[in-house]
Amino acid sequence: MRETITSVGIDIGTSTTQLIFSRLTIENLASSYMVPRIKIVDKEVTYRSRIYFTPLRSQTEIHAEKVKEIIQGEYQAAGMEPKDLKTGAVIITGETARKQNANSVLATLSDMAGDFVVATAGPDLESVLSARGAGADKLSEEHRQAVANIDIGGGTSNIALFRKGSLKGTSCLDIGGRLIKIENGRIHYIYSKILRLAQAHGITIREGDRAEEGTLYRICQIMADQLAMAVHAMEADSLHQELYTNEGKPLTKEPQVQALTYSGGVASCYYNGEPDNVFEYGDIGVLLARAVRNHPVLKQITTYPAAETIRATVVGAGTHTTNVSGSTISYTQGQLPIKNIPVLKLSEEEEQNLALFQETLRRKLQVYKTEGKLEQVAIVFSGRYHTSFAQIQELARAVAEGADEVIAGPHPLILVIENDIAKVLGNALNVLLERRKSFICIDGIFGNDGDYIDIGEPVAQGSVVPVVTKTLIFNT
């Protein structure tokens, strides 16, 4: 089976709004006697939109109607209609995700675009998505290094650390190119944290002042210092903790960062050079790129080219990779179907050590919180290392303890396993939790961080469920 589908990706970021259409070829790579495993075997970007400044009504509200006009105009320019599309992704990221009407904007675009992945990406999840878009995960695997991607956008700098292809940590700082805005040669807006950072270093600036390149570059150098502190290349100063988004936490110190990639709008200037007018974009993004590129500490760290910069978060769109679960599944009646569930992937290394598995699961669940509340999430792992009855009981206890926040919350516990142990693991969890928690435990399915899954209603007399894995397409 071989099929070509068309997909769309829509990214509404702090600085820019853009979309891209792709043609994706999917094929069943399993043999005739195996459960289908449909994969993307080819992808071609057929249309890249213009890059627009994200329209805002105010500092706290997205201009939903103008965003919709942009998207509709680009659909027309590409000769596309929603009915032509099989899949896609609509994501609001960065500072824009904190605007008061972000969810209503998503709802508006979802109705227009169809049944796509729709998510307000929190700062940690955005870090993962942009790093995968930049290719940091693949570089860490190819070079057997710990590679951190710094996605420097308009409002935030999202950092994700990968080692040997596996996610090891995320963080996010309020450092970005549009935190000081320039209009008609004067400073039009200064973000409060950046104002305090400048003042602490003896730099006095005010809204309405003339935009002096030298003064603003000094501020950008201080911002670059903070990025170096964030990857533990410099000792953190007393101001550093305040700069984390939503009072977030620093990146883990282990493993030590060995290489960097950069993505985001600022990274375009970092890799490709500056325009003649440093204030061409009405902000300090060009100066911030210069400060990062010239930073005496950061430039000593191995830096790889990014697969994508300004389009890293959503280069392509999601694609439906349809699978059928294994025939050894277990689930609570009445919980299906469910859609657009983000994937939390545990590595095989973590899975082999149940103490590490439990600790990592609890830590990674924090990535999927929005405004302090845990979203619905699918926990994915291989299931290869605990196959005997006694081992599965131990695995069930590790899952129950690591996912205690899920168990205490309103959403069902969703486990997606590659190996065929779902029925026995589900039974063990059901007994362990005294049948008081709704759960879904399926197998024969593959997923990675940044993917989303749909799980349909059971078929074949309840023995299997159809599963759609929506993989965000990057690195095109």
Side-chain angles (χ1 to χ4, degrees):
M1 189 279 300
R2 190 178 177 92
E3 182 181 354
T4 299
I5 62 175
T6 304
S7 64
V8 63
I10 301 170
D11 179 16
I12 305 166
T14 303
S15 298
T16 61
T17 291
Q18 56 188 297
L19 64 80
I20 190 167
F21 291 106
S22 298
R23 184 181 297 117
L24 309 170
T25 303
I26 60 174
E27 185 174 356
N28 182 9
L29 300 180
S31 68
S32 302
Y33 302 100
M34 296 181 66
V35 173
R37 186 180 176 191
I38 300 172
K39 298 276 288 183
I40 302 164
V41 295
D42 190 31
K43 53 193 175 183
E44 177 189 1
V45 175
T46 58
Y47 182 82
R48 292 173 181 256
S49 78
R50 290 171 51 198
I51 297 174
Y52 300 83
F53 282 121
T54 298
L56 302 176
R57 286 189 182 276
S58 68
Q59 292 297 333
T60 61
E61 187 177 3
I62 304 167
H63 200 311
E65 292 78 11
K66 287 191 175 180
V67 170
K68 189 170 183 178
E69 286 176 12
I70 288 171
I71 303 305
Q72 287 176 328
E74 290 294 344
Y75 268 59
Q76 291 173 1
M80 287 286 180
E81 296 181 19
K83 65 181 178 63
D84 299 325
L85 303 163
K86 296 291 186 183
T87 183
V90 183
I91 296 181
I92 294 186
T93 56
E95 182 70 20
T96 315
R98 290 185 272 181
K99 303 301 183 190
Q100 61 188 27
N101 64 332
N103 287 336
S104 63
V105 174
L106 280 172
T108 299
L109 293 180
S110 178
D111 290 343
M112 185 188 78
D115 187 19
F116 298 147
V117 177
V118 180
T120 304
D124 293 311
L125 184 56
E126 186 185 351
S127 297
V128 175
L129 296 178
S130 56
R132 291 185 67 202
D137 55 340
K138 292 184 178 180
L139 287 166
S140 74
E141 197 164 15
E142 291 169 5
H143 295 279
R144 314 301 286 175
Q145 289 179 312
V147 180
N149 181 66
I150 307 178
D151 184 81
I152 312 173
T156 58
S157 290
N158 298 82
I159 306 174
L161 175 63
F162 286 85
R163 183 178 65 183
K164 299 178 183 178
S166 183
L167 178 66
K168 294 300 179 183
T170 62
S171 68
C172 181
L173 290 84
D174 291 324
I175 296 287
R178 288 188 70 76
L179 296 183
I180 298 179
K181 297 180 184 178
I182 313 299
E183 194 172 283
N184 298 322
R186 294 191 176 276
I187 296 173
H188 174 65
Y189 165 79
I190 309 169
Y191 181 56
S192 57
K193 289 187 182 182
I194 301 304
L195 180 60
R196 289 194 293 272
L197 188 66
Q199 290 172 340
H201 286 82
I203 302 173
T204 301
I205 55 170
R206 293 180 299 272
E207 292 177 5
D209 285 354
R210 181 172 298 279
E212 298 288 349
E213 180 178 332
T215 300
L216 293 174
Y217 183 61
R218 284 175 58 206
I219 295 172
C220 289
Q221 288 176 309
I222 296 165
M223 294 164 75
D225 283 342
Q226 296 297 323
L227 294 179
M229 295 173 197
V231 295
H232 304 297
M234 288 176 60
E235 194 70 31
D237 62 20
S238 60
L239 303 170
H240 184 68
Q241 182 57 46
E242 180 188 345
L243 288 163
Y244 285 94
T245 305
N246 297 339
E247 299 180 351
K249 296 181 180 179
L251 194 70
T252 177
K253 288 187 176 182
E254 293 294 335
Q256 183 178 353
V257 173
Q258 297 170 291
L260 294 170
T261 54
Y262 294 97
S263 62
V266 171
S268 294
C269 294
Y270 176 95
Y271 287 113
N272 301 323
E274 302 179 5
D276 292 336
N277 176 10
V278 295
F279 300 131
E280 180 173 325
Y281 306 114
D283 57 33
I284 58 168
V286 173
L287 294 178
L288 181 55
R290 183 195 299 173
V292 172
R293 186 173 57 249
N294 294 336
H295 195 274
V297 175
L298 290 173
K299 71 181 182 181
Q300 297 302 315
I301 304 173
T302 299
T303 301
Y304 296 115
E308 290 285 345
T309 55
I310 196 167
R311 299 186 192 271
T313 305
V314 176
V315 162
T319 187
H320 293 225
T321 306
T322 305
N323 296 290
V324 178
S325 70
S327 59
T328 60
I329 65 175
S330 185
Y331 54 90
T332 303
Q333 295 288 341
Q335 296 299 313
L336 299 172
I338 56 174
K339 289 189 173 185
N340 295 335
I341 310 303
V343 164
L344 183 162
K345 179 67 179 285
L346 292 156
S347 71
E348 294 192 14
E349 176 186 358
E350 291 157 349
E351 189 180 343
Q352 291 176 67
N353 180 333
L354 286 182
L356 179 61
F357 177 94
Q358 179 181 320
E359 175 190 343
T360 305
L361 175 54
R362 183 177 284 116
R363 173 175 52 81
K364 290 183 76 170
L365 280 169
Q366 305 311 304
V367 170
Y368 298 87
K369 282 187 172 181
T370 301
E371 296 180 352
K373 295 181 180 179
L374 185 63
E375 299 174 358
Q376 199 162 16
V377 64
I379 300 165
V380 177
F381 53 95
S382 78
R384 293 192 182 94
Y385 303 99
H386 301 86
T387 54
S388 71
F389 179 81
Q391 289 172 329
I392 285 175
Q393 305 305 306
E394 294 174 356
L395 179 60
R397 282 191 290 273
V399 169
E401 293 179 16
D404 56 353
E405 198 167 354
V406 178
I407 292 166
H411 303 302
L413 176 64
I414 304 173
L415 304 179
V416 179
I417 308 161
E418 296 171 6
N419 202 28
D420 291 332
I421 63 167
K423 192 173 189 67
V424 63
L425 178 59
N427 289 342
L429 279 165
N430 209 12
V431 171
L432 187 63
L433 301 176
E434 299 178 344
R435 306 183 187 278
R436 292 184 296 190
K437 180 65 181 178
S438 297
F439 71 96
I440 300 159
C441 193
I442 61 175
D443 54 31
I445 302 297
F446 297 79
N448 286 298
D449 286 313
D451 291 350
Y452 289 73
I453 64 168
D454 295 349
I455 305 176
E457 294 181 353
V459 296
Q461 299 180 334
S463 61
V464 297
V465 290
V467 178
V468 172
T469 302
K470 299 174 179 179
T471 304
L472 298 182
I473 305 304
F474 301 115
N475 304 339
T476 51

